[in-house]
Amino acid sequence: ASGWELPLCDERRRSFVSLRRSRFSPKQLKSWYRSLERGIEWDRPKIGARLLPRSAAFLTSKGCRCTYKYSGTSWQALNMESWFLEITEAACQAC
């Protein structure tokens, strides 16, 4: 599809990044950011005595009771709400 850039294409390390700019207005992106920031129960657990340097959440389909575990941390499953699925669908359609 046209409009895609490939700013990172490192075959040796099997690292790739594709980028498609300006698919959404700044107003739309800001609105989505606010929704994600306020509507998701972000967690910042400790690893030993240190606080994880980033916030994270584990979003799943409704009904999942899985726990995501990584490097001594764990997150309970959070349902992907309809507003989140709408953002996801818009992003997928843009690709």
Side-chain angles (χ1 to χ4, degrees):
S2 67
W4 285 97
E5 299 172 38
L6 191 60
L8 175 62
C9 183
D10 186 338
E11 289 282 347
R12 188 173 65 82
R13 292 186 185 98
R14 302 293 300 150
S15 295
F16 309 94
V17 172
S18 295
L19 173 65
R20 194 170 189 190
R21 296 179 190 270
S22 303
R23 295 299 294 172
F24 304 103
S25 71
K27 182 179 177 181
Q28 180 66 73
L29 294 172
K30 189 174 184 175
S31 172
W32 285 346
Y33 184 87
R34 277 195 308 270
S35 294
L36 295 165
E37 188 176 45
R38 295 175 184 162
I40 294 176
E41 196 177 316
W42 298 100
D43 192 14
R44 212 171 148 207
K46 287 186 176 182
I47 300 176
R50 289 186 25 219
L51 204 55
L52 191 67
R54 64 189 172 279
S55 296
F58 177 48
L59 302 170
T60 64
S61 299
K62 288 188 179 186
C64 178
R65 298 188 191 282
C66 302
T67 301
Y68 175 73
K69 295 181 180 181
Y70 175 78
S71 239
T73 63
S74 66
W75 287 271
Q76 295 298 82
L78 301 173
N79 290 334
M80 287 186 273
E81 301 295 336
S82 59
W83 61 266
F84 180 85
L85 294 172
E86 289 169 12
I87 294 172
T88 302
E89 180 62 23
C92 289
Q93 290 299 317
C95 292

